[in-house]
Amino acid sequence: KGEVSGSLTLSVIPTVAPGLLPLFLTDFAKKFSNLNIDIQEQTTEEIMRQIKSRDLDIGIVSIPLKDKDLREIHLYDEPFVFYDTTSLNTNKVNANELDVSNICLLDEGHCMRAQILELCNLHKKRLNYGANFKYNAGSIDSLIRFVKANKASTLLPYLSATDLSETETQHIHEFENPMPFRSIGIVVHRHFVKQQVLEALKTEILNKVSPLLLQTELDGQKLNPI
């Protein structure tokens, strides 16, 4: 009947969910009140597995995945920023000269961890923790809290940094070009049939996200999921 109704299972990777879901989810649910939405946070690997087994309708992940059984729809490109609690954001930072001596990362299994390691490896730098321990966070929120408490640093996706306090944003450094960034997209099974729901979701996300992101095309180092 041309209505967006029924059920929808949606899963988002943990490094995207905190910055993205609050932007669009409430308005999307109100707009399509006949649609029952079940939302979870899962790793890219688990999202791919459940889409292939048809236990999940839609995933929002870092792309490309390059899997023949899945269809990818590009949403937006999201730059990374450098969160360094030891310095103020008076200047942009150069990715080629990034100081990673006191950097904190997410746990194994998060594609953002692999992306940051890729960036560091490209620049032939080693992670050298000054303390006699290293901390691998399980979420963006716990990562930010640990960095603050221990006068450390990390890389954050741009949307995750928009929720920081005024004091915290004083320690957010943007990158000079070439700017490291990731591509975020919707992924579904190649035989996915709920096309109207898919288009409605894409439109709602882009309407909310586009005004917050840089309007110019990113010309930098694209960090692919690993």
Side-chain angles (χ1 to χ4, degrees):
K1 299 179 180 179
E3 296 178 352
V4 176
S5 60
S7 63
L8 175 69
T9 53
L10 172 67
S11 191
V12 187
I13 57 173
T15 60
V16 169
L20 178 61
L21 290 178
L23 293 178
F24 81 91
L25 186 55
T26 300
D27 288 346
F28 181 75
K30 287 181 179 178
K31 188 175 293 186
F32 303 105
S33 57
N34 292 326
L35 185 66
N36 296 314
I37 311 169
D38 183 9
I39 302 161
Q40 342 175 36
E41 289 186 25
Q42 293 174 312
T43 63
T44 300
E45 182 179 349
E46 184 62 17
I47 288 173
M48 293 173 67
R49 186 190 70 78
Q50 290 199 17
I51 289 177
K52 289 181 180 182
S53 66
R54 312 308 286 268
D55 294 318
L56 179 66
D57 289 323
I58 296 177
I60 298 179
V61 301
S62 181
I63 58 173
L65 300 179
K66 298 179 180 178
D67 189 301
K68 62 181 179 60
D69 293 323
L70 304 177
R71 180 158 64 101
E72 299 176 12
I73 300 97
H74 178 270
L75 288 172
Y76 57 88
D77 292 328
E78 181 179 27
F80 285 94
V81 294
F82 188 53
Y83 181 41
D84 184 5
T85 56
T86 65
S87 63
L88 297 177
N89 57 0
T90 52
N91 296 302
K92 292 184 177 182
V93 294
N94 189 315
N96 293 309
E97 301 170 359
L98 190 64
D99 180 11
V100 296
S101 61
N102 196 26
I103 201 165
C104 296
L105 301 174
L106 288 169
D107 280 338
E108 297 282 355
H110 291 279
C111 63
M112 197 182 91
R113 175 189 175 94
Q115 289 168 329
I116 294 174
L117 286 174
E118 177 194 356
L119 179 66
C120 297
N121 289 337
L122 283 172
H123 302 146
K124 299 180 180 179
K125 294 182 179 180
R126 298 177 61 190
L127 300 179
N128 180 26
Y129 298 91
N132 62 341
F133 64 89
K134 61 180 181 178
Y135 176 77
N136 295 322
S139 69
I140 289 286
D141 181 61
S142 58
L143 177 64
I144 292 173
R145 288 174 182 269
F146 186 85
V147 167
K148 287 166 54 181
N150 291 274
K151 303 297 182 184
S153 62
T154 192
L155 272 75
L156 296 174
Y158 184 87
L159 291 180
S160 294
T162 58
D163 227 12
L164 297 178
S165 68
E166 184 176 346
T167 300
E168 291 167 335
T169 55
Q170 293 178 0
H171 300 287
I172 291 292
H173 301 259
E174 292 184 358
F175 282 96
E176 298 175 350
N177 285 329
M179 183 184 299
F181 69 96
R182 64 180 181 176
S183 293
I184 303 301
I186 291 172
V187 59
V188 296
H189 195 277
R190 62 191 179 99
H191 296 310
F192 186 74
V193 295
K194 299 178 183 180
Q195 191 62 35
Q196 194 167 353
V197 174
L198 185 62
E199 288 301 321
L201 180 66
K202 177 183 176 181
T203 299
E204 191 69 23
I205 291 175
L206 291 180
N207 286 343
K208 301 296 185 182
V209 170
S210 296
L212 300 176
L213 293 175
L214 301 175
Q215 295 304 306
T216 55
E217 183 177 350
L218 291 176
D219 180 20
Q221 173 61 48
K222 181 175 180 179
L223 304 182
N224 291 321
I226 299 174

